[in-house]
């Protein structure tokens, strides 16, 4: 999991470097040229990240951690229990759903 997060952070740093190289801070380029180049870069970055935010969901994490099918089943049960508890907390707080930081 940490390797995926580190890889994602590295990709973002590389994208920042591309923006700088694209002329964002080049005094000789015109504003319209800089804008066009940045828009093209952002489109490319968005295309590469369509539905994958880089953060694994519960099922993916469970599959990475489980050594046996029994462990996978136990992790799924824990996730289900957590989701039920979050629903209780949301109801007690008057919310439609409980917001998690990730996932």
């Amino acid at each position: 999991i940490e390797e995926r997060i580190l890889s994602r952070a590295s990709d973002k740093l590389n994208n920042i470097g591309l923006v700088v190289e694209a002329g964002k801070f080049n005094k000789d380029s015109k504003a319209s040229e800089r804008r066009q180049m940045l828009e093209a870069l952002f489109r490319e970055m968005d295309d590469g990240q369509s539905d994958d935010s880089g953060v694994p969901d519960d099922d993916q994490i469970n599959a990475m951690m489980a050594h046996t099918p029994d462990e996978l089943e136990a992790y799924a049960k824990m996730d289900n229990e957590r989701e039920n508890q979050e629903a209780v907390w949301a109801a007690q707080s008057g919310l439609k759903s409980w917001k998690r930081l990730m996932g």
Side-chain angles (χ1 to χ4, degrees), residues 18-90:
L18 290 174
V19 169
V20 172
E21 288 178 24
K24 173 70 176 150
F25 300 104
N26 184 343
K27 294 178 183 177
D28 296 333
S29 61
K30 296 178 184 174
S32 61
E33 292 172 345
R34 291 191 305 255
R35 183 177 182 90
Q36 287 175 345
M37 180 61 80
L38 287 173
E39 287 174 353
L41 284 171
F42 288 135
R43 277 193 300 274
E44 287 178 24
M45 288 188 300
D46 286 342
D47 290 344
Q49 301 172 2
S50 56
D51 291 337
D52 184 16
S53 65
V55 178
D57 63 16
D58 290 340
D59 293 334
Q60 292 170 324
I61 293 170
N62 294 346
M64 286 186 255
M65 293 187 317
H67 295 281
T68 66
D70 290 338
E71 285 183 358
L72 187 60
E73 186 177 322
Y75 293 143
K77 182 180 177 186
M78 286 185 250
D79 289 341
N80 192 17
E81 291 170 359
R82 186 200 71 244
E83 289 170 0
N84 290 337
Q85 183 60 51
E86 288 173 348
V88 170
W89 292 334

